[in-house]
Amino acid sequence: MRQALTPHEGCGSSSESSRHRKVAGIARALSCVLILLSFTIITSPRAHAQNYGVQTTDPGGSISSSTSSGSTTLSKKKTTSSFGAANAPSAIFGKINTNIDRAQPMRLQGDQLIYDKSGDRVISRGNVEIFYNNFILTADEVVYDQSAGTLTAIGNVTLKEPQGNIVHADRYTLTDDFRDGFVSALSITSKDQSHISADRATRREGNITEFHNGRFTPCQSDGGTPPLWCISATRIIHDQSAATLTYQDAYFEIYGQPIFYLPYFQSPDPTVKRRSGFLTPDYGHSSTLGYITGIPYFFDLAPNYDATIEPIYFSDQGLMMKAEWRHRLANGEYNVRLAGIDQDYRDLPGSATTNKDLDGLRGSVETHGKFSLSSWWQFGWDAIVESDDQFRRFYKLDSILVTDRVNQIYLTGQSDRNYFSAKLYQFGGLLTNDTPQTESYTHPIIDYNYVFKDPVVGGELRWNTNILSFTRSDGSVVDPQTGQDADQNVNRIVSELKWRRRLTDAIGISYTPFADIRGDVYQYDNATNPQSVVLNSAGTAVESSQVFSDTVTRGIVDGGMTVSYPWAASNAAGTHIIEPIGQFVAHQETIPQRRLPDEDAQSLVFDDTNLFSTSKFSGYDRIETGTRVNAGVQYTFQSNDGGYARFLAGESYHLSGDNIYLNPGRNADGNFVFNPYNGLQTDRSDYVLGAYLAPLSNFRIISQSRFDESTFALKRNDSSVITTWGPLSIQAGYSYDADALFSDPDDPTVIATVSREEELLAAATLQLTNRWSIGGSSRYNLEEGNFRYDSVNLKYVDECFALTASYIQSNYSDELIEPDQTVMLRLEFKHLGDFATSTGTDFNLGGDQRTN
């Protein structure tokens, strides 16, 4: 067994004896186990590559010398130059640099040049400078011993390397081939300001550098203050070919105080970008999961693919294994993430009887890919498959706020006037009140858009086509002919031509006539007629609702004109524009469509963004009918100093025909196909107002509101504010809906009812100092008077160390998901683990943050 050497003095000044230092280090180690785990043989696939060290030179020719009296050239005595060898200059840290022009002379300058013929030496004294291939060596004295084949620089030696490293030493001796050397009182400052110092250093075999009583730190320090952290060791051995640093009899020190002692420790040198090894661990505690400890291990398999395995231990649930495979190819990349646990259902919250179905293996597979097939075409996918709807949210692999699972495979192509998209979707609901109707597939959805190159009747002509094939396999529909469970199928082709032309008369009135022609073909199997669904006295859907299969064709023609008359005025403050806008749209008076199922037009939000749309629905399955007039006024202000404001207010009037926004019908569950209280159900719509303000470059407000057409009561509002004032960044959002459809998450059989919803979302980051920042986010339910979600994180980041502490509280409940408090801690040491971090914090309003 190797006997440990007496520990050396560390990175900072200390009056402790070597024995006391070792005892103190071992004692501190017992209280710092978490930090020990953070970097024992740690590497990172994302670590920065750095170059450090002494460069040896190979001029291979002559020495040009200049003194105060002139210049001279020394011819070499041997066949191999005293500064020449087969090797090009090499760095202490980094690969050998082969970009050396050996034809260049080495220029030597000093106050005094002495030729010692008897000793076969050349001596330069006083302000000596040597220039060679962008290397600059300065010293008080340089002695070249031709017989011994050595070059010795003495006194205040400084070597500036092309990479930016700066080497300081008291004495620097090299062999004539620059393979081996000896440096006394060495100090190196790298380009990224990392430091290595030693009492002396020896280079041998052209590859191994050994630092005696060495100290390494990437941290900066002022004056006599020790660096934040440092590794000091009796011996630090750098193997250049293996790109490893080996520490013997080492201390990890914080502010010059030894925290723990390691007899042997090895890590990759700072030039390594990726290498197999442990990554930075995560520590935390959750009220539902218990204490959390995860230590990932990274496998550097090849330059273009790698793998990571991370066992995560939850004290209340057991051991979960995670793995990730990443692969980059010439035209794209993909990854696969696995997670699984052998679940003991008795450890889960809630009823043991209900949880029995979750006993055994639970897990998920997540994969993403994106490939460029050509300059116009892209192919990719995003998919997550899990054993049950609760797994990923319960184990915090996804945000607690994720309510739906959407998987897709896509192919897209785009040129100057063409766009093509083909997507396969799988939709799944993750909440208790999700029914089988939320589990469905599209195979596929195809969109093709083409803009004709030449004008048609002086205007722009577009051709749009949509193809949909949709299946829902949930067992909720019974075929009336066979009495067996049946799939619901929808197949649809929609093709339309849209024409637009803009004209402006002599006084500035703008006229935009438009016309649309559309043809649809629908084929349904086992579809539910929304008009046939009624509720019984218990408030549930009648089971005998009509189910039908049919093929339906329909043609739609609409046309109209948009007229606007902008008025502009300028003053010292800026430019004001007031623009009245009117639109007349005529469709067929009525189209039989209420009995047809609605799959893609269930979202109906009436606001200023679709006030002048010919149809306010989000999809193709419902279309506007009758004659309608949309009217509004827009005010825009553009200040001379860059400020901006825009307001748009208006209303829609239904003049004749069938108002499709009224009486939406119900689906098989008895819930409305779309919200009947949408603001368009009456002949005079609600009023809509949009406000967009940016008075300063760092301050923005967006507000969209809807007001009752008779009482002017607020019916809906969505507002957001984003601002930055010096070190403070704020994002805030407000949401209000007086007629929201609310479903009971604890009882999926209860039909959705109208209820008021009001929420406030906010996030902020405050940069306390250059290194310290604090941030947080919150989601507050104003209607119920409670916090749904909130988080706080404290971050410290400097040039060599990062600490992130987070607290997350969730008050959501859904089967296994219970109110939870989580505390997470992450430590990162530069060159010893992950350091892909920043001083800022990115917020996802209303959601928790995920570290990748």
Side-chain angles (χ1 to χ4, degrees):
M1 180 176 179
R2 184 178 65 85
Q3 183 177 0
L5 301 177
T6 302
H8 57 282
E9 290 299 315
C11 303
S13 58
S14 175
S15 60
E16 292 181 296
S17 66
S18 297
R19 178 174 177 271
H20 289 165
R21 285 168 56 90
K22 180 176 291 187
V23 173
I26 296 174
R28 291 185 180 94
L30 297 177
S31 62
C32 299
V33 174
L34 292 180
I35 299 178
L36 171 62
L37 293 175
S38 300
F39 60 91
T40 303
I41 318 179
I42 291 176
T43 65
S44 171
R46 301 184 295 273
H48 296 296
Q50 309 293 345
N51 290 322
Y52 295 75
V54 176
Q55 296 280 353
T56 58
T57 58
D58 179 17
S62 61
I63 303 174
S64 286
S65 171
S66 63
T67 66
S68 57
S69 59
S71 301
T72 185
T73 299
L74 303 179
S75 61
K76 61 182 182 179
K77 182 176 181 179
K78 303 178 182 179
T79 55
T80 302
S81 166
S82 57
F83 289 88
N87 295 333
S90 59
I92 290 180
F93 294 157
K95 294 183 178 180
I96 294 175
N97 182 5
T98 59
N99 298 321
I100 298 298
D101 183 3
R102 293 192 173 98
Q104 290 189 20
M106 175 174 285
R107 302 187 181 278
L108 183 147
Q109 176 177 301
D111 295 340
Q112 184 180 18
L113 186 64
I114 302 173
Y115 297 89
D116 183 2
K117 295 183 178 180
S118 61
D120 202 12
R121 298 185 305 169
V122 179
I123 304 171
S124 180
R125 292 175 179 164
N127 300 315
V128 181
E129 296 182 0
I130 297 178
F131 303 90
Y132 176 67
N133 272 273
N134 296 321
F135 291 87
I136 302 175
L137 176 67
T138 62
D140 295 338
E141 180 178 314
V142 173
V143 178
Y144 173 49
D145 190 331
Q146 297 188 71
S147 60
T150 60
L151 173 73
T152 302
I154 305 169
N156 298 314
V157 181
T158 299
L159 175 64
K160 295 181 180 179
E161 303 170 348
Q163 303 96 318
N165 298 339
I166 301 176
V167 181
H168 299 280
D170 290 340
R171 188 178 185 90
Y172 190 172
T173 301
L174 292 171
T175 57
D176 62 353
D177 61 2
F178 269 48
R179 272 175 38 101
D180 304 330
F182 175 83
V183 186
S184 178
L186 173 70
S187 175
I188 304 171
T189 302
S190 72
K191 189 174 182 179
D192 74 340
Q193 298 302 304
S194 294
H195 304 278
I196 187 167
S197 60
D199 292 348
R200 62 184 186 278
T202 304
R203 183 174 179 84
R204 62 180 186 275
E205 302 173 8
N207 178 62
I208 305 297
T209 304
E210 182 174 324
F211 302 93
H212 298 269
N213 288 337
R215 293 154 304 271
F216 169 76
T217 180
C219 304
Q220 306 301 309
S221 60
D222 299 327
T225 304
L228 190 151
W229 69 267
C230 171
I231 298 177
S232 61
T234 301
R235 288 202 306 169
I236 302 176
I237 302 173
H238 177 234
D239 188 326
Q240 183 174 316
S241 60
T244 59
L245 285 171
T246 301
Y247 302 85
Q248 295 180 2
D249 301 301
Y251 281 106
F252 180 81
E253 301 183 4
I254 294 180
Y255 285 119
Q257 297 300 315
I259 300 302
F260 55 82
Y261 169 77
L262 290 170
Y264 181 86
F265 167 61
Q266 188 178 84
S267 69
D269 72 31
T271 65
V272 175
K273 295 181 180 180
R274 343 170 342 130
R275 172 164 295 178
S276 299
F278 290 102
L279 304 180
T280 303
D282 291 312
Y283 313 103
H285 179 269
S286 165
S287 58
T288 57
L289 301 176
Y291 290 98
I292 305 170
T293 303
I295 306 178
Y297 189 89
F298 174 74
F299 293 90
D300 179 21
L301 304 175
N304 64 321
Y305 57 86
D306 55 51
T308 304
I309 294 179
E310 181 179 10
I312 303 179
Y313 178 71
F314 304 100
S315 61
D316 290 351
Q317 300 297 329
L319 181 66
M320 181 173 74
M321 295 298 299
K322 291 175 58 181
E324 180 178 9
W325 166 268
R326 304 188 305 175
H327 192 185
R328 184 185 296 273
L329 294 96
N331 62 338
E333 61 183 351
Y334 72 95
N335 70 331
V336 180
R337 295 173 179 171
L338 307 175
I341 189 172
D342 187 3
Q343 185 72 67
D344 186 341
Y345 75 96
R346 291 166 296 187
D347 295 333
L348 295 172
S351 170
T353 302
T354 306
N355 295 337
K356 279 187 177 181
D357 294 339
L358 302 178
D359 195 48
L361 182 63
R362 299 176 70 198
S364 69
V365 179
E366 176 183 3
T367 177
H368 305 274
K370 187 175 182 179
F371 294 87
S372 178
L373 304 181
S374 68
S375 59
W376 289 358
W377 291 93
Q378 285 191 341
F379 168 75
W381 66 85
D382 299 284
I384 297 177
V385 180
E386 54 188 321
S387 58
D388 58 87
D389 291 347
Q390 303 282 309
F391 171 73
R392 292 185 61 85
R393 293 186 300 144
F394 180 75
Y395 283 106
K396 306 186 186 304
L397 301 177
D398 280 341
S399 167
I400 196 71
L401 304 181
V402 174
T403 59
D404 299 281
R405 183 71 66 217
V406 180
N407 298 322
Q408 66 168 331
I409 302 175
Y410 60 88
L411 172 68
T412 60
Q414 184 171 3
S415 64
D416 293 339
R417 297 188 310 275
N418 293 267
Y419 174 78
F420 175 87
S421 172
K423 296 182 178 181
L424 304 176
Y425 282 109
Q426 185 272 330
F427 301 96
L430 301 179
L431 302 181
T432 306
N433 61 338
D434 283 308
T435 65
Q437 275 72 23
T438 62
E439 308 288 338
S440 55
Y441 303 84
T442 60
H443 40 78
I445 294 179
I446 297 177
D447 286 291
Y448 178 72
N449 304 324
Y450 177 75
V451 179
F452 288 82
K453 179 179 180 181
D454 299 320
V456 177
V457 195
E460 180 189 78
L461 183 64
R462 292 174 175 265
W463 175 35
N464 302 327
T465 299
N466 174 269
I467 300 175
L468 167 68
S469 179
F470 176 86
T471 297
R472 179 182 291 118
S473 303
D474 55 26
S476 65
V477 174
V478 178
D479 189 329
Q481 303 296 326
T482 64
Q484 302 295 320
D485 293 342
D487 292 346
Q488 300 177 60
N489 298 306
V490 177
N491 297 289
R492 178 188 75 199
I493 299 178
V494 176
S495 188
E496 60 183 350
L497 288 172
K498 290 179 171 289
W499 176 85
R500 298 286 188 275
R501 182 180 181 182
R502 184 170 183 176
L503 305 169
T504 304
D505 65 14
I507 63 173
I509 300 178
S510 175
Y511 306 87
T512 306
F514 58 86
D516 301 337
I517 301 175
R518 170 177 154 181
D520 301 351
V521 178
Y522 280 83
Q523 188 273 322
Y524 298 100
D525 288 330
N526 304 311
T528 299
N529 179 358
Q531 288 184 306
S532 70
V533 179
V534 295
L535 305 182
N536 58 26
S537 58
T540 58
V542 175
E543 296 180 359
S544 59
S545 57
Q546 180 183 352
V547 177
F548 69 97
S549 299
D550 198 1
T551 299
V552 178
T553 61
R554 62 184 182 184
I556 301 99
V557 178
D558 66 64
M561 181 178 292
T562 303
V563 181
S564 64
Y565 190 13
W567 295 71
S570 299
N571 56 22
T575 302
H576 306 263
I577 301 175
I578 298 178
E579 184 180 13
I581 306 172
Q583 184 186 64
F584 173 82
V585 186
H587 308 82
Q588 289 104 314
E589 289 294 286
T590 183
I591 297 175
Q593 55 181 318
R594 281 192 173 89
R595 69 182 294 269
L596 304 179
D598 181 2
E599 298 295 346
D600 69 351
Q602 299 179 12
S603 175
L604 178 56
V605 178
F606 177 47
D607 57 25
D608 65 292
T609 61
N610 57 10
L611 172 62
F612 296 102
S613 299
T614 57
S615 180
K616 300 348 187 237
F617 286 106
S618 59
Y620 290 97
D621 287 342
R622 292 291 184 270
I623 55 177
E624 193 173 282
T625 53
T627 303
R628 186 173 287 273
V629 169
N630 304 309
V633 60
Q634 181 172 261
Y635 167 75
T636 304
F637 172 71
Q638 182 68 59
S639 70
N640 294 329
D641 60 1
Y644 174 83
R646 183 170 71 88
F647 299 89
L648 175 60
E651 189 179 18
S652 182
Y653 303 87
H654 180 249
L655 303 182
S656 65
D658 179 25
N659 186 355
I660 189 59
Y661 303 112
L662 181 65
N663 302 324
R666 297 176 181 268
N667 58 27
D669 294 326
N671 293 315
F672 288 112
V673 173
F674 56 84
N675 194 328
Y677 309 101
N678 50 67
L680 294 162
Q681 71 274 15
T682 55
D683 289 341
R684 282 187 58 191
S685 76
D686 289 343
Y687 298 99
V688 293
L689 172 65
Y692 306 85
L693 305 175
L696 302 171
S697 61
N698 59 351
F699 184 82
R700 287 179 293 161
I701 297 177
I702 298 175
S703 179
Q704 297 170 319
S705 306
R706 178 164 60 87
F707 302 90
D708 187 87
E709 53 90 15
S710 58
T711 65
F712 291 97
L714 181 64
K715 305 295 288 184
R716 185 183 180 96
N717 177 266
D718 291 292
S719 300
S720 62
V721 178
I722 301 175
T723 182
T724 301
W725 294 96
L728 179 64
S729 298
I730 298 176
Q731 300 181 33
Y734 171 77
S735 177
Y736 173 81
D737 192 347
D739 299 313
L741 296 179
F742 176 76
S743 297
D744 187 352
D746 297 323
D747 190 353
T749 64
V750 175
I751 300 302
T753 57
V754 176
S755 175
R756 192 176 85 163
E757 288 188 356
E758 189 174 13
E759 282 193 339
L760 179 66
L761 299 88
T765 302
L766 177 61
Q767 195 71 37
L768 301 173
T769 67
N770 291 335
R771 297 178 176 181
W772 286 95
S773 64
I774 186 171
S777 64
S778 180
R779 183 170 184 170
Y780 185 76
N781 190 317
L782 294 168
E783 182 66 19
E784 298 178 2
N786 58 41
F787 284 96
R788 307 295 301 276
Y789 174 95
D790 54 83
S791 67
V792 178
N793 65 79
L794 180 66
K795 180 177 287 188
Y796 173 87
V797 179
D798 62 20
E799 73 282 348
C800 65
F801 174 72
L803 166 67
T804 304
S806 303
Y807 171 79
I808 302 171
Q809 176 176 281
S810 170
N811 293 319
Y812 288 93
S813 297
D814 184 55
E815 290 187 350
L816 301 179
I817 308 299
E818 293 186 342
D820 177 70
Q821 295 82 40
T822 303
V823 177
M824 297 296 294
L825 178 66
R826 185 177 181 85
L827 304 172
E828 302 175 70
F829 297 89
K830 189 174 183 179
H831 300 317
L832 298 180
D834 282 3
F835 208 74
T837 187
S838 64
T839 57
T841 303
D842 296 326
F843 288 97
N844 174 17
L845 285 177
D848 55 349
Q849 304 305 307
R850 180 175 174 184
T851 302
N852 290 320

